[in-house]
Structures are given as structure tokens and as C-alpha cells.
Amino acid sequence: MNIPGENFRTIWPHPEDPRVVRIIDQRQLPHRYVVCDLATHQDGARAIRDMMVRGAPLIGATAAWSLYLAALEAERTAKSRQARLDFILEAAETLNATRPTAVNLRWAIERMLDVIRGTDDADSLTERLRREAAAICDEDVAISRAIGEHGVELIAAIAERNGGNPVNILTHCNAGSLATINWGTATAPIYIAHERGIPIHVWVDETRPRNQGSQLTAWELARSGIAHTVIVDNAGGHLMQHGQVDLCITGTDRTTRSGDVANKIGTYLKALAARDSDVPFYVALPSTTIDWTISDGVREIPIEERGGEEVSHITGLDGEVVRTVRAIAEDSPVANFAFDVTPARLVTGLITERGICAASEEGIAGLFPERAGAVA
Ligand code: MRU
């Protein structure tokens, strides 16, 4: 399998059955590659909640396809146009409640609901929703690729200074192909650098508790033939102090209009370490991740808290069998904050599909004047 190759997708309509959408069950990686079918919007909601799919853009795309599935369900069960619409609206609420931090979820659901608002013809509604979900995915691929084309310039500039030595890039969590439809956000510049023959090496934070770095990012990079090393989450500061990191690039689940970024727990600590060691810290994002309604990320971005078993237990391969074992004594309470917010002042720049800008209200508005103006 070629990742991010032209044919790779993380979600796609079943080629023979239009009532089914397919996903990769990311909980099983890197040990097993399992494709699952979604046949109802509840399947889609479960896939997001249980993190079979994850990563801000993919969460949004899965919600979009789930609303198409809801429209099919409504065709089968509801008699009147109003009953069908009510069913889809209820499905939208269910999907909206699955995960709180990534704003792409709300964005994709709103975009699908706009399709409903824009048509009176109940018969063509399902087909319109199918086309919109497909368009969201196609656009996401193009956006990720554009992020890569802009971000690769940063890597190329460092490579020139490095005189042929590999550019060392540190990333956190998985903002890779698996978090989007293809290419990823933080990984897109890395993949394009590799395509262009720029020597690179990636430090992959393991990203406890769910290990999206060691389980997903490392898996992707290995499949692409990109040199990488998995490190424990606490190693990044040490590497930066010793000149072993040229550049940090992470993704984000929600970016405020002033450039604060919410991303996987631990991102903030990396940004602090990067600042102390003068390592550039960039965040790659599609504009669908910008929440234009808020400015103060620390106060205004809802931070998901997940079940304690993700902290108290660890899953791995034992011979041929995947096992989950308790890693923390039963009488110790645990807490599981899934995201943190890195204030804009610690972010060197934002890599978007329209170019690179300062992590500031002016910087973002300069690239997206039509959106910034709409909410001012
Ligand atoms: O909890 P997850 O795995 O959904 O968290 C994912 C991240 O934190 C990613 O960095 C973020 O969604 C950006 S994806 C391009």
C-alpha cells in the first residue's frame, strides 16, 4: 500500500454498494489493517466516538458521509418529507455530540445541512448529500496537498543550510494521511520533501495515551520509506536542546481567529521547549479547522476528557495476539485530557492551503479576508 499514494483514502463509498461507506479501523493499526463498513449514521457516530476514525478533517468527513447514510435510512423509514428532514436533523445532533474539540465536525455538519436548506426536492436530497460528502473529501485532498506545497519550502530552506544533512522534523500525534483523507496536514510537507528528494528524518512523539504517533504516524512514514525514529513524549525537549531538531510541525483540531491552536495533549509543552531552544514551531492546518467565532483558545476551546482506561491500560502485540493490560495500580485515580491549547505567541507560523502566515488575527485575515470579514 502506498501512503499517501494517489489511490489512498481513509474513507470512501463502497464500490459495489451505494448504501455503505468504508473506513479503516485505526484502532487496530499498526498490527492489523482492517476495513469496516458503515451502514447507518449511528455506525458513523460510533466510529468517531470510539476513534476508529480520528483526526479533525477525517472526523468532519465521516460526519458528512454519515448524514448521507442518515438520508438513505430516512428514505427507507420515513413517509413524509418533514419526517425525513427531522430524521436527518436528529442524526446531525447525534454526530455533533460525538467529539467536542475538533471544529471540523461542526463545519462539515453545517455544510451538509446547508444542502438540505437549499433544496425542496426530497427525492434528490440523498443524491445531493452524497455529492456533497464526496466533494468535502476531494477538497480535503486538494487542501492537504496545497499545505504540503507551501510547507515544503520551509524544509527546503533548512536543507540548503544543512549542506546535505537530513532535516530533522519533530511531530506530535498523527496529523498524517490517516487524520485527513490523504496526505495529512503536518505530514504533507514531509511527504512532498521526500518526493523531491530532500533528505529528511522525522522524530515521532509516541503521543500517550492512545499513541497516535507510534501507532499511526510511524506506520505511515514506514510505508512511505521515510526515515523516522519514535521517541517517548518527554524526549523532545532534550533533543531540541542538543540541536537535533531543525523544525517542529504539528496539526491542530481547532485554531482561533487569533492563531491559538488546540492539538493533542502535549503539543503545548513541545512549543514551550521549542521556544526555549529557538526551534521554529509551525502548525499546519486546513482553513476548515479555523473557528472564526472565538479568539481566546485557552478559555474558549472545549477540551475533550476521555475515559481513564486509555491512561490506566496499554495495548500491544504479544506474539500474534493483541492484548490490553493494566499499567497503573487500580487504587490510583487517573485523568485523561485529550487536547491542550498552544497560545499563538509560541507558534512561529501557520501553514495553510493559501500559504504561510503569522499566528495572529492579522496574519490569518491576510490569507482569508472573506472569512475574517464575515465574522468581524
Ligand atoms: O484525538 P485525535 O487522534 O483525533 O487527535 C488528532 C490530533 O490531535 C491531530 O493532530 C489533529 O486532529 C490534526 S489532524 C490533521
Side-chain angles (χ1 to χ4, degrees):
M1 182 189 323
N2 255 354
I3 300 175
E6 283 312 315
N7 297 323
F8 180 76
R9 291 258 166 151
T10 51
I11 188 165
W12 65 98
H14 193 296
E16 276 116 44
D17 187 347
R19 293 161 310 171
V20 170
V21 172
R22 312 200 92 176
I23 57 164
I24 303 160
D25 182 355
Q26 299 192 16
R27 298 169 309 178
Q28 315 248 13
L29 290 170
H31 308 302
R32 313 216 186 295
Y33 182 83
V34 177
V35 170
C36 290
D37 289 347
L38 309 178
T40 66
H41 75 278
Q42 291 287 7
D43 289 346
R46 203 170 312 114
I48 299 171
R49 206 180 303 112
D50 294 350
M51 293 182 67
M52 297 165 84
V53 291
R54 25 67 53 206
L58 179 55
I59 290 170
T62 306
W65 279 113
S66 300
L67 286 176
Y68 159 68
L69 294 175
L72 286 170
E73 290 172 75
E75 273 182 8
R76 293 196 288 271
T77 56
K79 295 265 176 300
S80 67
R81 170 183 151 78
Q82 193 53 50
R84 281 194 210 180
L85 291 185
D86 289 347
F87 185 88
I88 299 170
L89 290 177
E90 213 169 294
E93 271 179 41
T94 303
L95 289 158
N96 227 338
T98 48
R99 294 195 70 192
T101 302
V103 79
N104 301 58
L105 181 63
R106 189 178 77 199
W107 169 85
I109 290 171
E110 275 308 308
R111 182 162 157 177
M112 295 295 278
L113 294 182
D114 278 348
V115 172
I116 297 176
R117 292 177 195 119
T119 177
D120 286 335
D121 178 1
D123 291 330
S124 68
L125 183 59
T126 308
E127 174 54 18
R128 283 171 196 244
L129 289 174
R130 188 195 64 75
R131 270 191 262 138
E132 197 69 8
I136 285 173
C137 290
D138 289 347
E139 287 167 28
D140 188 72
V141 174
I143 285 172
S144 288
R145 181 78 202 182
I147 288 170
E149 300 284 355
H150 294 297
V152 75
E153 299 306 331
L154 298 170
I155 301 175
I158 296 170
E160 221 167 279
R161 293 201 301 272
N162 272 10
N165 292 318
V167 179
N168 283 299
I169 303 161
L170 182 141
T171 191
H172 191 70
C173 194
N174 174 263
S177 292
L178 289 165
T180 59
I181 308 303
N182 200 353
W183 295 103
T185 57
T187 56
I190 293 170
Y191 286 129
I192 294 177
H194 184 64
E195 265 179 21
R196 293 192 187 169
I198 299 171
I200 47 174
H201 166 263
V202 184
W203 295 112
V204 180
D205 280 353
E206 81 181 321
T207 319
R208 274 282 283 153
R210 290 190 69 100
N211 294 327
Q212 290 95 327
S214 57
Q215 312 262 303
L216 304 178
T217 304
W219 182 80
E220 280 189 29
L221 294 174
R223 246 118 232 99
S224 312
I226 294 179
H228 63 283
T229 307
V230 177
I231 49 174
V232 297
D233 290 322
N234 296 327
H238 164 76
L239 291 170
M240 291 187 221
Q241 277 178 330
H242 289 269
Q244 307 255 0
V245 181
D246 295 301
L247 172 69
C248 298
I249 312 180
T250 74
T252 166
D253 284 78
R254 193 186 294 224
T255 305
T256 69
R257 64 170 184 271
S258 56
D260 294 346
V261 290
N263 193 49
K264 183 53 56 191
I265 193 79
T267 304
Y268 172 47
L269 291 178
K270 293 297 134 64
L272 282 170
R275 174 56 53 94
D276 190 50
S277 293
D278 281 332
V279 173
F281 186 93
Y282 281 88
V283 176
L285 61 127
S287 55
T288 52
T289 305
I290 302 173
D291 185 341
W292 301 94
T293 67
I294 60 173
S295 172
D296 182 339
V298 175
R299 280 170 207 275
E300 295 180 279
I301 297 179
I303 298 296
E304 177 179 16
E305 288 184 50
R306 295 186 60 83
E309 68 287 347
E310 291 182 355
V311 176
S312 59
H313 289 69
I314 291 183
T315 299
L317 197 61
D318 179 10
E320 297 280 287
V321 184
V322 176
R323 288 193 208 284
T324 299
V325 296
R326 175 168 270 285
I328 289 169
E330 259 179 85
D331 49 5
S332 289
V334 295
N336 189 7
F337 301 97
F339 298 94
D340 60 24
V341 173
T342 301
R345 66 174 183 278
L346 297 176
V347 178
T348 311
L350 302 174
I351 311 169
T352 78
E353 70 268 29
R354 291 201 190 162
I356 300 176
C357 69
S360 67
E361 191 140 2
E362 301 69 41
I364 296 174
L367 288 182
F368 300 94
E370 76 288 6
R371 293 305 315 268
V375 290

